[in-house]
Amino acid sequence: MAAAMLAVPAGLRVAPLTSCSGRSDISSLRYTTLGAPKYTRGTRGGSIRCEGVRETVDKATKKEITKEEILQNQETNQSEKQSVFGAVPSSGSFYPRPEVERRPETGEKSLGSLFAFDGAAPETINGRLAMVGIVWAAIAEKMSGLTVFDQLYTQGTGLVFYVAIVPLIAYASIVPMLNGESSDARSFGPFTAKAERWNGRLAMIGFLSLLLTESFIHAPVFTNFF
């Protein structure tokens, strides 16, 4: 154990360590301790690149979605052949667009396309906000005894802080899409995009129901009934 605690990268005594984005004359750097990151020289300009955590997470959770898979689903999935309003998807239309055009992996990656009515962003972001919001509202109601509307106008309650993190949740959701990755590209055990969509839809309905109920009874639901 003592030897492992004193393990240092090879070459530490002859040259200082550099950051992952910096440059160095060290050809390679590898830690001998278990689970330590690896530093390898890039192919251009002698830059050093960190490897380890991101590659491990991608290997465990990421799935590559190809254009061929999207086109096949577009042809075989009945829900992709017409919208809930009965409209048939057509290329270049405002709504609905074919799946291959609206997906971040194969379609346009502009904010206008992602935030369109049938884009990848609206349901994903709204569902995540609703899931966090209804849990946060429940905890804040139990702690403060105030309705959701009252919490918005009362300093120091939990929902005020929730409103502050809304942009952070939206930002964290949109960045992968701008990089060409939809929520369907990630899964880990029971945590799949399909499960997230259904939980998000239920949370959106539940949060709206909570607001409407409290507007009629003028009392916090989670304090009076749970």
PDB file of all heavy atoms in Angstrom, residues 21-59:
ATOM      1  N   SER A  21      -4.444  19.926 -21.970  1.00  0.00           N
ATOM      2  CA  SER A  21      -4.521  20.687 -23.205  1.00  0.00           C
ATOM      3  C   SER A  21      -3.187  21.323 -23.561  1.00  0.00           C
ATOM      4  O   SER A  21      -3.074  22.004 -24.578  1.00  0.00           O
ATOM      5  CB  SER A  21      -5.599  21.772 -23.084  1.00  0.00           C
ATOM      6  OG  SER A  21      -5.283  22.625 -22.012  1.00  0.00           O
ATOM      7  N   GLY A  22      -2.174  21.151 -22.715  1.00  0.00           N
ATOM      8  CA  GLY A  22      -0.887  21.773 -22.978  1.00  0.00           C
ATOM      9  C   GLY A  22      -0.010  20.913 -23.853  1.00  0.00           C
ATOM     10  O   GLY A  22      -0.416  19.910 -24.423  1.00  0.00           O
ATOM     11  N   ARG A  23       1.278  21.307 -23.959  1.00  0.00           N
ATOM     12  CA  ARG A  23       2.219  20.568 -24.769  1.00  0.00           C
ATOM     13  C   ARG A  23       3.400  20.167 -23.906  1.00  0.00           C
ATOM     14  O   ARG A  23       3.746  20.816 -22.944  1.00  0.00           O
ATOM     15  CB  ARG A  23       2.698  21.411 -25.958  1.00  0.00           C
ATOM     16  CG  ARG A  23       1.569  21.775 -26.906  1.00  0.00           C
ATOM     17  CD  ARG A  23       2.090  22.645 -28.042  1.00  0.00           C
ATOM     18  NE  ARG A  23       1.021  23.011 -28.941  1.00  0.00           N
ATOM     19  CZ  ARG A  23       0.609  22.266 -29.946  1.00  0.00           C
ATOM     20  NH1 ARG A  23       1.186  21.119 -30.190  1.00  0.00           N
ATOM     21  NH2 ARG A  23      -0.369  22.668 -30.734  1.00  0.00           N
ATOM     22  N   SER A  24       4.050  19.091 -24.276  1.00  0.00           N
ATOM     23  CA  SER A  24       5.173  18.618 -23.498  1.00  0.00           C
ATOM     24  C   SER A  24       6.095  17.813 -24.377  1.00  0.00           C
ATOM     25  O   SER A  24       5.691  17.316 -25.435  1.00  0.00           O
ATOM     26  CB  SER A  24       4.676  17.766 -22.329  1.00  0.00           C
ATOM     27  OG  SER A  24       5.764  17.171 -21.665  1.00  0.00           O
ATOM     28  N   ASP A  25       7.352  17.661 -23.957  1.00  0.00           N
ATOM     29  CA  ASP A  25       8.310  16.850 -24.686  1.00  0.00           C
ATOM     30  C   ASP A  25       8.293  15.407 -24.219  1.00  0.00           C
ATOM     31  O   ASP A  25       9.046  14.573 -24.697  1.00  0.00           O
ATOM     32  CB  ASP A  25       9.729  17.419 -24.514  1.00  0.00           C
ATOM     33  CG  ASP A  25       9.857  18.784 -25.183  1.00  0.00           C
ATOM     34  OD1 ASP A  25       9.129  18.995 -26.162  1.00  0.00           O
ATOM     35  OD2 ASP A  25      10.657  19.609 -24.722  1.00  0.00           O
ATOM     36  N   ILE A  26       7.438  15.112 -23.241  1.00  0.00           N
ATOM     37  CA  ILE A  26       7.344  13.745 -22.742  1.00  0.00           C
ATOM     38  C   ILE A  26       6.597  12.904 -23.753  1.00  0.00           C
ATOM     39  O   ILE A  26       5.490  13.240 -24.148  1.00  0.00           O
ATOM     40  CB  ILE A  26       6.624  13.707 -21.384  1.00  0.00           C
ATOM     41  CG1 ILE A  26       7.336  14.625 -20.398  1.00  0.00           C
ATOM     42  CG2 ILE A  26       6.586  12.291 -20.841  1.00  0.00           C
ATOM     43  CD1 ILE A  26       6.590  14.772 -19.107  1.00  0.00           C
ATOM     44  N   SER A  27       7.173  11.804 -24.198  1.00  0.00           N
ATOM     45  CA  SER A  27       6.540  11.005 -25.252  1.00  0.00           C
ATOM     46  C   SER A  27       5.327  10.261 -24.746  1.00  0.00           C
ATOM     47  O   SER A  27       4.352  10.087 -25.446  1.00  0.00           O
ATOM     48  CB  SER A  27       7.548  10.001 -25.834  1.00  0.00           C
ATOM     49  OG  SER A  27       8.034   9.158 -24.792  1.00  0.00           O
ATOM     50  N   SER A  28       5.346   9.812 -23.513  1.00  0.00           N
ATOM     51  CA  SER A  28       4.174   9.121 -22.955  1.00  0.00           C
ATOM     52  C   SER A  28       4.241   9.173 -21.445  1.00  0.00           C
ATOM     53  O   SER A  28       5.306   9.261 -20.860  1.00  0.00           O
ATOM     54  CB  SER A  28       4.115   7.659 -23.428  1.00  0.00           C
ATOM     55  OG  SER A  28       5.220   6.957 -22.929  1.00  0.00           O
ATOM     56  N   LEU A  29       3.103   9.133 -20.828  1.00  0.00           N
ATOM     57  CA  LEU A  29       3.022   9.189 -19.378  1.00  0.00           C
ATOM     58  C   LEU A  29       1.967   8.217 -18.921  1.00  0.00           C
ATOM     59  O   LEU A  29       0.821   8.320 -19.343  1.00  0.00           O
ATOM     60  CB  LEU A  29       2.609  10.606 -18.957  1.00  0.00           C
ATOM     61  CG  LEU A  29       3.584  11.287 -17.990  1.00  0.00           C
ATOM     62  CD1 LEU A  29       4.207  12.467 -18.654  1.00  0.00           C
ATOM     63  CD2 LEU A  29       2.845  11.738 -16.809  1.00  0.00           C
ATOM     64  N   ARG A  30       2.297   7.267 -18.084  1.00  0.00           N
ATOM     65  CA  ARG A  30       1.310   6.297 -17.620  1.00  0.00           C
ATOM     66  C   ARG A  30       1.479   6.098 -16.121  1.00  0.00           C
ATOM     67  O   ARG A  30       2.579   5.839 -15.640  1.00  0.00           O
ATOM     68  CB  ARG A  30       1.436   4.968 -18.346  1.00  0.00           C
ATOM     69  CG  ARG A  30       1.102   5.079 -19.826  1.00  0.00           C
ATOM     70  CD  ARG A  30       1.133   3.724 -20.505  1.00  0.00           C
ATOM     71  NE  ARG A  30       0.839   3.849 -21.912  1.00  0.00           N
ATOM     72  CZ  ARG A  30      -0.363   3.888 -22.431  1.00  0.00           C
ATOM     73  NH1 ARG A  30      -1.408   3.811 -21.624  1.00  0.00           N
ATOM     74  NH2 ARG A  30      -0.560   4.008 -23.733  1.00  0.00           N
ATOM     75  N   TYR A  31       0.401   6.207 -15.374  1.00  0.00           N
ATOM     76  CA  TYR A  31       0.442   5.970 -13.937  1.00  0.00           C
ATOM     77  C   TYR A  31       0.429   4.470 -13.682  1.00  0.00           C
ATOM     78  O   TYR A  31      -0.201   3.700 -14.415  1.00  0.00           O
ATOM     79  CB  TYR A  31      -0.777   6.596 -13.252  1.00  0.00           C
ATOM     80  CG  TYR A  31      -0.702   8.081 -13.120  1.00  0.00           C
ATOM     81  CD1 TYR A  31      -1.183   8.906 -14.139  1.00  0.00           C
ATOM     82  CD2 TYR A  31      -0.148   8.666 -11.997  1.00  0.00           C
ATOM     83  CE1 TYR A  31      -1.109  10.276 -14.022  1.00  0.00           C
ATOM     84  CE2 TYR A  31      -0.084  10.038 -11.874  1.00  0.00           C
ATOM     85  CZ  TYR A  31      -0.562  10.833 -12.885  1.00  0.00           C
ATOM     86  OH  TYR A  31      -0.508  12.187 -12.771  1.00  0.00           O
ATOM     87  N   THR A  32       1.084   4.089 -12.617  1.00  0.00           N
ATOM     88  CA  THR A  32       1.113   2.677 -12.257  1.00  0.00           C
ATOM     89  C   THR A  32       0.080   2.326 -11.214  1.00  0.00           C
ATOM     90  O   THR A  32      -0.147   1.164 -10.924  1.00  0.00           O
ATOM     91  CB  THR A  32       2.517   2.309 -11.713  1.00  0.00           C
ATOM     92  OG1 THR A  32       2.813   3.152 -10.608  1.00  0.00           O
ATOM     93  CG2 THR A  32       3.569   2.494 -12.797  1.00  0.00           C
ATOM     94  N   THR A  33      -0.570   3.322 -10.619  1.00  0.00           N
ATOM     95  CA  THR A  33      -1.602   3.037  -9.633  1.00  0.00           C
ATOM     96  C   THR A  33      -2.898   2.655 -10.303  1.00  0.00           C
ATOM     97  O   THR A  33      -3.174   3.060 -11.429  1.00  0.00           O
ATOM     98  CB  THR A  33      -1.839   4.264  -8.737  1.00  0.00           C
ATOM     99  OG1 THR A  33      -2.090   5.384  -9.557  1.00  0.00           O
ATOM    100  CG2 THR A  33      -0.634   4.524  -7.865  1.00  0.00           C
ATOM    101  N   LEU A  34      -3.733   1.880  -9.624  1.00  0.00           N
ATOM    102  CA  LEU A  34      -4.977   1.375 -10.172  1.00  0.00           C
ATOM    103  C   LEU A  34      -5.966   2.503 -10.416  1.00  0.00           C
ATOM    104  O   LEU A  34      -6.213   3.319  -9.547  1.00  0.00           O
ATOM    105  CB  LEU A  34      -5.588   0.354  -9.216  1.00  0.00           C
ATOM    106  CG  LEU A  34      -6.919  -0.290  -9.663  1.00  0.00           C
ATOM    107  CD1 LEU A  34      -6.696  -1.074 -10.951  1.00  0.00           C
ATOM    108  CD2 LEU A  34      -7.454  -1.192  -8.555  1.00  0.00           C
ATOM    109  N   GLY A  35      -6.556   2.520 -11.602  1.00  0.00           N
ATOM    110  CA  GLY A  35      -7.612   3.467 -11.926  1.00  0.00           C
ATOM    111  C   GLY A  35      -7.131   4.865 -12.242  1.00  0.00           C
ATOM    112  O   GLY A  35      -7.944   5.759 -12.418  1.00  0.00           O
ATOM    113  N   ALA A  36      -5.839   5.106 -12.321  1.00  0.00           N
ATOM    114  CA  ALA A  36      -5.349   6.443 -12.610  1.00  0.00           C
ATOM    115  C   ALA A  36      -5.503   6.748 -14.093  1.00  0.00           C
ATOM    116  O   ALA A  36      -5.480   5.847 -14.924  1.00  0.00           O
ATOM    117  CB  ALA A  36      -3.875   6.547 -12.215  1.00  0.00           C
ATOM    118  N   PRO A  37      -5.664   8.008 -14.462  1.00  0.00           N
ATOM    119  CA  PRO A  37      -5.833   8.350 -15.871  1.00  0.00           C
ATOM    120  C   PRO A  37      -4.547   8.126 -16.646  1.00  0.00           C
ATOM    121  O   PRO A  37      -3.456   8.147 -16.090  1.00  0.00           O
ATOM    122  CB  PRO A  37      -6.197   9.839 -15.829  1.00  0.00           C
ATOM    123  CG  PRO A  37      -5.651  10.311 -14.541  1.00  0.00           C
ATOM    124  CD  PRO A  37      -5.753   9.169 -13.590  1.00  0.00           C
ATOM    125  N   LYS A  38      -4.677   7.954 -17.948  1.00  0.00           N
ATOM    126  CA  LYS A  38      -3.537   7.760 -18.824  1.00  0.00           C
ATOM    127  C   LYS A  38      -3.365   8.982 -19.700  1.00  0.00           C
ATOM    128  O   LYS A  38      -4.328   9.554 -20.173  1.00  0.00           O
ATOM    129  CB  LYS A  38      -3.736   6.517 -19.700  1.00  0.00           C
ATOM    130  CG  LYS A  38      -3.853   5.224 -18.896  1.00  0.00           C
ATOM    131  CD  LYS A  38      -4.095   4.049 -19.821  1.00  0.00           C
ATOM    132  CE  LYS A  38      -4.209   2.762 -19.025  1.00  0.00           C
ATOM    133  NZ  LYS A  38      -4.454   1.598 -19.916  1.00  0.00           N
ATOM    134  N   TYR A  39      -2.131   9.351 -19.943  1.00  0.00           N
ATOM    135  CA  TYR A  39      -1.823  10.478 -20.800  1.00  0.00           C
ATOM    136  C   TYR A  39      -1.091   9.947 -22.023  1.00  0.00           C
ATOM    137  O   TYR A  39      -0.058   9.293 -21.906  1.00  0.00           O
ATOM    138  CB  TYR A  39      -0.938  11.497 -20.074  1.00  0.00           C
ATOM    139  CG  TYR A  39      -1.599  12.136 -18.889  1.00  0.00           C
ATOM    140  CD1 TYR A  39      -1.610  11.511 -17.652  1.00  0.00           C
ATOM    141  CD2 TYR A  39      -2.233  13.358 -19.021  1.00  0.00           C
ATOM    142  CE1 TYR A  39      -2.225  12.108 -16.567  1.00  0.00           C
ATOM    143  CE2 TYR A  39      -2.858  13.960 -17.936  1.00  0.00           C
ATOM    144  CZ  TYR A  39      -2.835  13.326 -16.717  1.00  0.00           C
ATOM    145  OH  TYR A  39      -3.442  13.911 -15.639  1.00  0.00           O
ATOM    146  N   THR A  40      -1.608  10.216 -23.199  1.00  0.00           N
ATOM    147  CA  THR A  40      -0.962   9.751 -24.419  1.00  0.00           C
ATOM    148  C   THR A  40      -0.753  10.915 -25.360  1.00  0.00           C
ATOM    149  O   THR A  40      -1.545  11.854 -25.400  1.00  0.00           O
ATOM    150  CB  THR A  40      -1.825   8.683 -25.126  1.00  0.00           C
ATOM    151  OG1 THR A  40      -3.111   9.245 -25.415  1.00  0.00           O
ATOM    152  CG2 THR A  40      -1.993   7.453 -24.246  1.00  0.00           C
ATOM    153  N   ARG A  41       0.315  10.813 -26.167  1.00  0.00           N
ATOM    154  CA  ARG A  41       0.615  11.876 -27.112  1.00  0.00           C
ATOM    155  C   ARG A  41      -0.336  11.833 -28.286  1.00  0.00           C
ATOM    156  O   ARG A  41      -0.617  10.775 -28.838  1.00  0.00           O
ATOM    157  CB  ARG A  41       2.057  11.729 -27.605  1.00  0.00           C
ATOM    158  CG  ARG A  41       2.453  12.782 -28.640  1.00  0.00           C
ATOM    159  CD  ARG A  41       3.901  12.637 -29.025  1.00  0.00           C
ATOM    160  NE  ARG A  41       4.773  13.030 -27.936  1.00  0.00           N
ATOM    161  CZ  ARG A  41       5.053  14.288 -27.633  1.00  0.00           C
ATOM    162  NH1 ARG A  41       4.486  15.270 -28.314  1.00  0.00           N
ATOM    163  NH2 ARG A  41       5.851  14.577 -26.642  1.00  0.00           N
ATOM    164  N   GLY A  42      -0.856  12.974 -28.666  1.00  0.00           N
ATOM    165  CA  GLY A  42      -1.722  13.066 -29.826  1.00  0.00           C
ATOM    166  C   GLY A  42      -0.927  12.942 -31.112  1.00  0.00           C
ATOM    167  O   GLY A  42       0.299  13.009 -31.139  1.00  0.00           O
ATOM    168  N   THR A  43      -1.623  12.751 -32.232  1.00  0.00           N
ATOM    169  CA  THR A  43      -0.954  12.564 -33.515  1.00  0.00           C
ATOM    170  C   THR A  43      -0.515  13.876 -34.123  1.00  0.00           C
ATOM    171  O   THR A  43       0.320  13.889 -35.019  1.00  0.00           O
ATOM    172  CB  THR A  43      -1.918  11.862 -34.497  1.00  0.00           C
ATOM    173  OG1 THR A  43      -3.113  12.646 -34.600  1.00  0.00           O
ATOM    174  CG2 THR A  43      -2.260  10.464 -33.990  1.00  0.00           C
ATOM    175  N   ARG A  44      -1.042  15.005 -33.664  1.00  0.00           N
ATOM    176  CA  ARG A  44      -0.693  16.295 -34.241  1.00  0.00           C
ATOM    177  C   ARG A  44      -0.150  17.225 -33.169  1.00  0.00           C
ATOM    178  O   ARG A  44      -0.737  17.387 -32.128  1.00  0.00           O
ATOM    179  CB  ARG A  44      -1.913  16.948 -34.902  1.00  0.00           C
ATOM    180  CG  ARG A  44      -2.460  16.156 -36.081  1.00  0.00           C
ATOM    181  CD  ARG A  44      -3.634  16.898 -36.695  1.00  0.00           C
ATOM    182  NE  ARG A  44      -4.206  16.159 -37.799  1.00  0.00           N
ATOM    183  CZ  ARG A  44      -5.249  16.582 -38.494  1.00  0.00           C
ATOM    184  NH1 ARG A  44      -5.837  17.735 -38.172  1.00  0.00           N
ATOM    185  NH2 ARG A  44      -5.728  15.874 -39.483  1.00  0.00           N
ATOM    186  N   GLY A  45       1.001  17.815 -33.468  1.00  0.00           N
ATOM    187  CA  GLY A  45       1.518  18.878 -32.625  1.00  0.00           C
ATOM    188  C   GLY A  45       2.047  18.444 -31.285  1.00  0.00           C
ATOM    189  O   GLY A  45       2.418  19.258 -30.466  1.00  0.00           O
ATOM    190  N   GLY A  46       2.118  17.127 -31.023  1.00  0.00           N
ATOM    191  CA  GLY A  46       2.671  16.662 -29.771  1.00  0.00           C
ATOM    192  C   GLY A  46       1.814  16.964 -28.557  1.00  0.00           C
ATOM    193  O   GLY A  46       2.300  17.027 -27.440  1.00  0.00           O
ATOM    194  N   SER A  47       0.494  17.205 -28.715  1.00  0.00           N
ATOM    195  CA  SER A  47      -0.370  17.512 -27.580  1.00  0.00           C
ATOM    196  C   SER A  47      -0.636  16.260 -26.764  1.00  0.00           C
ATOM    197  O   SER A  47      -0.563  15.144 -27.266  1.00  0.00           O
ATOM    198  CB  SER A  47      -1.700  18.103 -28.067  1.00  0.00           C
ATOM    199  OG  SER A  47      -2.366  17.176 -28.884  1.00  0.00           O
ATOM    200  N   ILE A  48      -0.928  16.456 -25.489  1.00  0.00           N
ATOM    201  CA  ILE A  48      -1.211  15.340 -24.589  1.00  0.00           C
ATOM    202  C   ILE A  48      -2.705  15.306 -24.320  1.00  0.00           C
ATOM    203  O   ILE A  48      -3.310  16.325 -24.042  1.00  0.00           O
ATOM    204  CB  ILE A  48      -0.424  15.483 -23.276  1.00  0.00           C
ATOM    205  CG1 ILE A  48       1.072  15.285 -23.552  1.00  0.00           C
ATOM    206  CG2 ILE A  48      -0.898  14.476 -22.242  1.00  0.00           C
ATOM    207  CD1 ILE A  48       1.922  15.422 -22.315  1.00  0.00           C
ATOM    208  N   ARG A  49      -3.306  14.125 -24.431  1.00  0.00           N
ATOM    209  CA  ARG A  49      -4.755  13.982 -24.287  1.00  0.00           C
ATOM    210  C   ARG A  49      -5.071  13.055 -23.123  1.00  0.00           C
ATOM    211  O   ARG A  49      -4.476  12.000 -22.976  1.00  0.00           O
ATOM    212  CB  ARG A  49      -5.346  13.399 -25.580  1.00  0.00           C
ATOM    213  CG  ARG A  49      -6.851  13.240 -25.560  1.00  0.00           C
ATOM    214  CD  ARG A  49      -7.348  12.944 -26.957  1.00  0.00           C
ATOM    215  NE  ARG A  49      -6.819  11.699 -27.461  1.00  0.00           N
ATOM    216  CZ  ARG A  49      -7.422  10.516 -27.306  1.00  0.00           C
ATOM    217  NH1 ARG A  49      -8.557  10.455 -26.644  1.00  0.00           N
ATOM    218  NH2 ARG A  49      -6.891   9.420 -27.798  1.00  0.00           N
ATOM    219  N   CYS A  50      -6.028  13.482 -22.282  1.00  0.00           N
ATOM    220  CA  CYS A  50      -6.448  12.652 -21.152  1.00  0.00           C
ATOM    221  C   CYS A  50      -7.379  11.547 -21.648  1.00  0.00           C
ATOM    222  O   CYS A  50      -8.279  11.805 -22.438  1.00  0.00           O
ATOM    223  CB  CYS A  50      -7.197  13.493 -20.118  1.00  0.00           C
ATOM    224  SG  CYS A  50      -6.139  14.585 -19.195  1.00  0.00           S
ATOM    225  N   GLU A  51      -7.166  10.339 -21.181  1.00  0.00           N
ATOM    226  CA  GLU A  51      -8.020   9.220 -21.522  1.00  0.00           C
ATOM    227  C   GLU A  51      -8.437   8.520 -20.248  1.00  0.00           C
ATOM    228  O   GLU A  51      -7.707   8.504 -19.272  1.00  0.00           O
ATOM    229  CB  GLU A  51      -7.287   8.222 -22.433  1.00  0.00           C
ATOM    230  CG  GLU A  51      -6.925   8.790 -23.804  1.00  0.00           C
ATOM    231  CD  GLU A  51      -6.211   7.768 -24.672  1.00  0.00           C
ATOM    232  OE1 GLU A  51      -5.905   6.675 -24.141  1.00  0.00           O
ATOM    233  OE2 GLU A  51      -5.949   8.060 -25.838  1.00  0.00           O
ATOM    234  N   GLY A  52      -9.593   7.936 -20.235  1.00  0.00           N
ATOM    235  CA  GLY A  52     -10.016   7.172 -19.072  1.00  0.00           C
ATOM    236  C   GLY A  52     -11.474   7.307 -18.757  1.00  0.00           C
ATOM    237  O   GLY A  52     -12.272   6.472 -19.172  1.00  0.00           O
ATOM    238  N   VAL A  53     -11.853   8.390 -18.064  1.00  0.00           N
ATOM    239  CA  VAL A  53     -13.217   8.521 -17.562  1.00  0.00           C
ATOM    240  C   VAL A  53     -14.228   8.609 -18.701  1.00  0.00           C
ATOM    241  O   VAL A  53     -15.215   7.868 -18.731  1.00  0.00           O
ATOM    242  CB  VAL A  53     -13.336   9.755 -16.649  1.00  0.00           C
ATOM    243  CG1 VAL A  53     -14.780   9.924 -16.196  1.00  0.00           C
ATOM    244  CG2 VAL A  53     -12.420   9.625 -15.443  1.00  0.00           C
ATOM    245  N   ARG A  54     -13.993   9.517 -19.646  1.00  0.00           N
ATOM    246  CA  ARG A  54     -14.971   9.705 -20.723  1.00  0.00           C
ATOM    247  C   ARG A  54     -15.109   8.456 -21.575  1.00  0.00           C
ATOM    248  O   ARG A  54     -16.220   8.065 -21.941  1.00  0.00           O
ATOM    249  CB  ARG A  54     -14.550  10.886 -21.597  1.00  0.00           C
ATOM    250  CG  ARG A  54     -15.538  11.171 -22.722  1.00  0.00           C
ATOM    251  CD  ARG A  54     -15.193  12.442 -23.441  1.00  0.00           C
ATOM    252  NE  ARG A  54     -16.157  12.715 -24.509  1.00  0.00           N
ATOM    253  CZ  ARG A  54     -16.129  13.799 -25.264  1.00  0.00           C
ATOM    254  NH1 ARG A  54     -15.205  14.725 -25.059  1.00  0.00           N
ATOM    255  NH2 ARG A  54     -17.031  13.979 -26.201  1.00  0.00           N
ATOM    256  N   GLU A  55     -13.977   7.804 -21.898  1.00  0.00           N
ATOM    257  CA  GLU A  55     -14.028   6.599 -22.708  1.00  0.00           C
ATOM    258  C   GLU A  55     -14.766   5.481 -21.988  1.00  0.00           C
ATOM    259  O   GLU A  55     -15.525   4.724 -22.583  1.00  0.00           O
ATOM    260  CB  GLU A  55     -12.612   6.146 -23.074  1.00  0.00           C
ATOM    261  CG  GLU A  55     -11.920   6.978 -24.134  1.00  0.00           C
ATOM    262  CD  GLU A  55     -11.409   8.306 -23.587  1.00  0.00           C
ATOM    263  OE1 GLU A  55     -11.529   8.526 -22.356  1.00  0.00           O
ATOM    264  OE2 GLU A  55     -10.914   9.123 -24.378  1.00  0.00           O
ATOM    265  N   THR A  56     -14.563   5.386 -20.668  1.00  0.00           N
ATOM    266  CA  THR A  56     -15.236   4.356 -19.880  1.00  0.00           C
ATOM    267  C   THR A  56     -16.743   4.578 -19.849  1.00  0.00           C
ATOM    268  O   THR A  56     -17.530   3.641 -20.008  1.00  0.00           O
ATOM    269  CB  THR A  56     -14.684   4.333 -18.446  1.00  0.00           C
ATOM    270  OG1 THR A  56     -13.270   4.102 -18.485  1.00  0.00           O
ATOM    271  CG2 THR A  56     -15.347   3.244 -17.623  1.00  0.00           C
ATOM    272  N   VAL A  57     -17.155   5.843 -19.650  1.00  0.00           N
ATOM    273  CA  VAL A  57     -18.584   6.167 -19.624  1.00  0.00           C
ATOM    274  C   VAL A  57     -19.224   5.910 -20.985  1.00  0.00           C
ATOM    275  O   VAL A  57     -20.316   5.339 -21.074  1.00  0.00           O
ATOM    276  CB  VAL A  57     -18.791   7.634 -19.201  1.00  0.00           C
ATOM    277  CG1 VAL A  57     -20.254   8.034 -19.354  1.00  0.00           C
ATOM    278  CG2 VAL A  57     -18.339   7.846 -17.761  1.00  0.00           C
ATOM    279  N   ASP A  58     -18.548   6.324 -22.058  1.00  0.00           N
ATOM    280  CA  ASP A  58     -19.085   6.101 -23.405  1.00  0.00           C
ATOM    281  C   ASP A  58     -19.239   4.616 -23.701  1.00  0.00           C
ATOM    282  O   ASP A  58     -20.233   4.187 -24.299  1.00  0.00           O
ATOM    283  CB  ASP A  58     -18.178   6.743 -24.451  1.00  0.00           C
ATOM    284  CG  ASP A  58     -18.315   8.259 -24.489  1.00  0.00           C
ATOM    285  OD1 ASP A  58     -19.280   8.772 -23.895  1.00  0.00           O
ATOM    286  OD2 ASP A  58     -17.468   8.921 -25.102  1.00  0.00           O
ATOM    287  N   LYS A  59     -18.261   3.831 -23.291  1.00  0.00           N
ATOM    288  CA  LYS A  59     -18.314   2.396 -23.552  1.00  0.00           C
ATOM    289  C   LYS A  59     -19.476   1.746 -22.831  1.00  0.00           C
ATOM    290  O   LYS A  59     -20.106   0.810 -23.339  1.00  0.00           O
ATOM    291  CB  LYS A  59     -16.990   1.750 -23.134  1.00  0.00           C
ATOM    292  CG  LYS A  59     -16.894   0.267 -23.482  1.00  0.00           C
ATOM    293  CD  LYS A  59     -15.534  -0.288 -23.109  1.00  0.00           C
ATOM    294  CE  LYS A  59     -15.441  -1.772 -23.464  1.00  0.00           C
ATOM    295  NZ  LYS A  59     -14.111  -2.341 -23.109  1.00  0.00           N
TER     296      LYS A  59
END
